[in-house]
Amino acid sequence: MTPWITISTETVYDYLAAPQVEVLRRSVLANQQEDPLRSIIHDICEQMRAEISGNPHNRLDSTPYTIPPHLKATACWLIIEAAQTRIPGLKATEDQIRLAEQARQRLQRIAQGELPIGNPNSIDTSGTYQRPGATLQVIHARDVQATGHTLSGF
């Protein structure tokens, strides 16, 4: 069992210089608009939780917006990428683009079951995230031989 973490604005400072983070937080704000970085952090963490839950073997923590600690950098690179799109003319560096792409690939590998994640301390049993795809349950079955006649309705 692993305690999952909550990404904060301060966590993003570990991956981008403080003045750069402040530009992402304060630029192009409407009157009375709150810090947009908090919303972006929540959105990215919820997207990550949805990807994680794409693998039926993975369990989510019951605390909203939390992620496994080993995915902190993954979250931060995706948050930085999303935050930069708010400011016209601000371009991500080649390194930032590469790291964000690696973050997406890592999440895809987790969803496909190629990379394990640890079970959280408190497992979410709310059913907030549904497994992708349809399911089928056989309620009653009888033996029938498949012939051209019996399959003609298909």
Side-chain angles (χ1 to χ4, degrees), residues 1 58-63 119-126:
M1 300 254 214
N58 293 336
R59 300 290 176 257
L60 297 176
D61 192 279
S62 60
T63 306
N119 279 331
N121 284 344
S122 61
I123 294 176
D124 181 9
T125 57
S126 69

Side-chain angles (χ1 to χ4, degrees), residues 4-154:
W4 284 25
I5 62 170
T6 302
I7 301 294
S8 67
T9 301
E10 290 72 29
T11 308
V12 179
Y13 285 124
D14 292 342
Y15 295 86
L16 197 60
Q20 293 170 309
V21 175
E22 289 304 315
V23 167
L24 297 175
R25 293 177 68 192
R26 309 260 184 249
S27 293
V28 196
L29 292 181
N31 289 339
Q32 305 301 319
Q33 182 180 359
E34 293 185 24
D35 178 3
L37 195 55
R38 186 175 323 128
S39 295
I40 293 169
I41 290 170
H42 285 173
D43 291 347
I44 295 298
C45 288
E46 284 302 292
Q47 289 174 11
M48 290 178 66
R49 288 170 62 90
E51 288 289 331
I52 290 168
S53 72
N55 179 343
H57 298 291
N58 293 336
R59 300 290 176 257
L60 297 176
D61 192 279
S62 60
T63 306
Y65 311 116
T66 57
I67 60 169
H70 64 277
L71 294 179
K72 179 171 85 168
T74 299
C76 286
W77 290 119
L78 294 173
I79 291 164
I80 290 167
E81 178 186 55
Q84 286 181 335
T85 63
R86 294 185 58 254
I87 303 173
L90 183 61
K91 301 293 182 200
T93 66
E94 287 182 27
D95 285 337
Q96 290 170 332
I97 293 168
R98 177 181 50 81
L99 290 165
E101 182 57 32
Q102 287 175 355
R104 279 188 287 283
Q105 290 171 0
R106 187 172 300 111
L107 286 176
Q108 185 176 26
R109 291 181 64 203
I110 289 169
Q112 294 172 347
E114 295 174 12
L115 290 176
I117 62 163
N119 279 331
N121 284 344
S122 61
I123 294 176
D124 181 9
T125 57
S126 69
T128 301
Y129 296 96
Q130 299 296 319
R131 304 287 180 240
T135 59
L136 177 67
Q137 179 180 6
V138 176
I139 297 172
H140 174 72
R142 59 188 161 99
D143 291 336
V144 177
Q145 185 166 351
T147 65
H149 177 70
T150 61
L151 297 175
S152 64
F154 290 103

